[in-house]
């Protein structure tokens, strides 16, 4: 086994200012965006992710990252938002973070649920249930990082 991964501590540490302009990502290695947990969130996450990775000169990851972000954000919208009123980091708000170090990038989606997503065997006859399988196929690795007091990040690494 190699060195411990660098991104869990970055996800647990202080966060960058929310909704930083995409062009401002050029000089940053940690960018965050808050999105409403609504049907348009996966599309917005794909667009923002493509732009951030492009600004970082990581355009080769864009197609895979768009697919992964779409799946992670869809899961957060469907399963990660409780019915209570929205407040920062909870309710019907999700956070998307992009981290980079060298030639590695991490896309992470935070929601308010403590439930850990579990991949299941894809069933071609069902319309749902293939998302985490796709995340595993299109990223180098992925995982879940609890974020006390409530919630989690589901992250995917690209290199």
């Amino acid at each position: 086994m190699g060195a411990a991964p660098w991104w869990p501590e970055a996800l647990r540490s202080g966060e960058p200012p929310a909704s930083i302009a995409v062009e401002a990502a050029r000089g940053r290695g940690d960018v965050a965006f808050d999105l409403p947990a609504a049907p348009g969130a996966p599309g917005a996450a794909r667009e923002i992710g493509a732009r951030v990775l492009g600004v970082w000169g990581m355009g080769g990851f864009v197609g895979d990252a768009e697919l992964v972000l779409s799946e992670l954000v869809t899961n957060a919208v469907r399963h990660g938002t409780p019915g209570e009123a929205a407040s920062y980091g909870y309710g019907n708000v999700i956070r998307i973070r992009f981290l980079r170090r060298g030639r590695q990038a991490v896309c992470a989606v935070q929601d308010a649920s403590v439930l850990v997503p579990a991949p299941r065997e894809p069933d071609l006859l069902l319309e749902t249930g293939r998302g985490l399988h796709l995340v595993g196929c299109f990223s180098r690795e992925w995982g879940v990082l609890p974020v006390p007091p409530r919630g989690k990040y589901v992250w995917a690494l690209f290199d």
Side-chain angles (χ1 to χ4, degrees):
M1 278 254 142
W6 54 271
W7 57 91
E9 190 56 37
L11 288 173
R12 285 188 187 107
S13 68
E15 298 179 351
S19 301
I20 188 169
V22 171
E23 282 302 313
R26 190 172 310 282
R28 300 182 63 94
D30 188 348
V31 181
F33 293 88
D34 291 336
L35 295 173
R46 285 191 305 270
E47 181 181 334
I48 292 167
R51 290 176 61 204
V52 168
L53 291 171
V55 165
W56 283 347
M58 298 178 149
F61 299 150
V62 167
D64 292 346
E66 285 178 317
L67 184 142
V68 166
L69 279 167
S70 187
E71 295 299 334
L72 296 181
V73 171
T74 297
N75 282 350
V77 169
R78 285 186 180 164
H79 308 292
T81 53
E84 61 206 44
S87 63
Y88 172 74
Y90 299 101
N92 63 6
V93 177
I94 56 175
R95 172 158 275 203
I96 315 298
R97 280 183 72 187
F98 302 95
L99 306 167
R100 83 176 153 141
R101 181 182 283 179
R103 293 299 308 153
Q104 293 185 322
V106 170
C107 300
V109 177
Q110 182 183 23
D111 65 49
S113 174
V114 296
L115 298 176
V116 175
R120 55 184 171 173
E121 191 62 37
D123 184 336
L124 298 177
L125 299 177
L126 295 178
E127 198 171 307
T128 62
R130 292 180 290 278
L132 292 176
H133 178 73
L134 292 172
V135 170
C137 289
F138 286 89
S139 64
R140 179 169 176 219
E141 63 182 291
W142 71 276
V144 180
L145 182 69
V147 183
R150 202 169 97 183
K152 66 183 173 299
Y153 273 109
V154 182
W155 56 265
L157 172 67
F158 300 90
D159 69 356

